[in-house]
Amino acid sequence: MIAPAADSRAVEALMAFWAEAGVDACFEDAPVDRLRPISPAAAAAKSGGAATASPLRVAATGGIADAMAEARRAAAAALDLEQLQAAIAAFQGCPLSTMGARQAVFGRGDPAGGLLVVGEGPGAEEDLKGQPFVGKAGQLLDRMLAAAGLTDRAFITNTVYWRPPGNRTPTAEEQAVCAPFLERTFELMRPKAVLTLGAAAARQVLKTDEGITRARGVWGEWRLAEGDVSAPVMPTLHPAFLLRQPQAKREVWADLLDVAARFDAAQ
Ligand code: URA
């Protein structure tokens, strides 16, 4: 049935309203807990056939633990960042990859530069272009890194690789599924220092729930449980926060100068 013109105008206006409010993806009428483990029998009943054990669909059938194990296996098999990027693109175990994201977004910059910058997760622009921090917040980040002399040193990535719907903060489970890829990035790159942007990145890298306004500016350490990789970590505020609260740029600037001084001292 074709809706009368007045109705379609009303629908368009309503959709524009929701898009403006950040709701840009629609799934079902009722919320679905996609992180709840589904037993293989239930999955088989749902699909009307025998349960398949596709390693790439683990999140749908085996829950977060299986997805993390598959991510760990895929990450460990990657011998360089290029292979890691391909492994992430092929991975379907993160619930976010089925929530409307166009593509996986991995990293940009020079991995040999020595500074690993970790943001939260891709936004709309990043989802479109396939690169992290290319929207307004990214442009501000680039300007600040350049002013601190860190542009050529930075490789920029995120805690999750698919855009969370409506640009919401990724959940701890979504970050946990992607963590093996971030840890492998850290392991392959062996950075001299790490800069985390915002609370979600600090939580993931430093395993802290301390508020970012208290945690920022204080060096921490990231040490992988297995392997001998470790690096000092500077948590700072997220550039998207700075767009809303420009007066906080002062603090981030101080943190960046601290990072730059550490590099200069190591030369
Ligand atoms: N915000 C992030 O945390 N990461 C991006 O890539 C873009 C915006």
Side-chain angles (χ1 to χ4, degrees):
M1 190 177 88
I2 297 173
D7 281 4
S8 54
R9 273 202 301 276
V11 170
E12 274 169 28
L14 185 62
M15 287 175 70
F17 166 81
W18 284 118
E20 189 107 321
V23 180
D24 57 3
C26 169
F27 299 99
E28 317 223 4
D29 289 341
V32 177
D33 182 357
R34 293 176 194 280
L35 304 180
R36 184 172 52 86
I38 303 172
S39 71
K46 206 173 166 200
S47 67
T52 53
S54 162
L56 298 178
R57 272 285 161 205
V58 282
T61 57
I64 292 303
D66 283 2
M68 284 172 69
E70 173 56 19
R72 214 169 291 120
R73 193 205 57 73
L79 301 179
D80 55 35
L81 291 182
E82 224 167 275
Q83 288 183 14
L84 189 61
Q85 178 167 15
I88 292 168
F91 182 68
Q92 295 177 35
C94 178
L96 287 173
S97 68
T98 62
M99 293 184 183
R102 282 185 177 81
Q103 57 186 321
V105 175
F106 176 49
R108 71 174 169 94
D110 183 1
L115 176 63
L116 177 59
V117 180
V118 183
E120 188 176 297
E125 287 283 313
E126 291 75 22
D127 183 47
L128 210 57
K129 299 192 176 138
Q131 294 235 311
F133 282 101
V134 290
K136 281 207 178 94
Q139 286 157 20
L140 175 58
L141 174 65
D142 282 352
R143 286 200 298 278
M144 294 188 86
L145 288 174
L150 292 168
T151 301
D152 296 339
R153 291 177 168 155
F155 181 75
I156 303 172
T157 188
N158 280 304
T159 64
V160 297
Y161 307 102
W162 294 268
R163 179 199 184 195
N167 288 350
R168 67 161 167 75
T169 303
T171 65
E173 286 83 1
E174 289 156 358
Q175 287 185 311
V177 171
C178 293
F181 295 115
L182 180 59
E183 288 173 7
R184 188 68 177 143
T185 306
F186 182 55
E187 203 176 5
L188 289 168
M189 186 177 154
R190 294 184 173 261
K192 293 195 181 77
V194 178
L195 178 71
T196 61
L197 306 174
R203 175 179 73 194
Q204 183 57 25
V205 170
L206 289 171
K207 310 291 175 224
T208 174
D209 276 329
E210 195 181 19
I212 188 64
T213 43
R214 280 177 68 92
R216 66 137 287 276
V218 181
W219 286 100
E221 192 194 40
W222 188 7
R223 181 178 288 277
L224 290 187
E226 64 275 342
D228 58 350
V229 190
S230 69
V233 179
M234 170 59 75
T236 196
L237 306 174
H238 197 284
F241 174 75
L242 300 184
L243 291 173
R244 298 191 298 274
Q245 306 276 339
Q247 72 279 10
K249 281 181 192 166
R250 228 165 20 146
E251 276 97 53
V252 175
W253 181 238
D255 298 343
L256 291 180
L257 290 183
D258 208 347
V259 171
R262 197 157 189 138
F263 270 87
D264 291 342
Q267 301 276 303

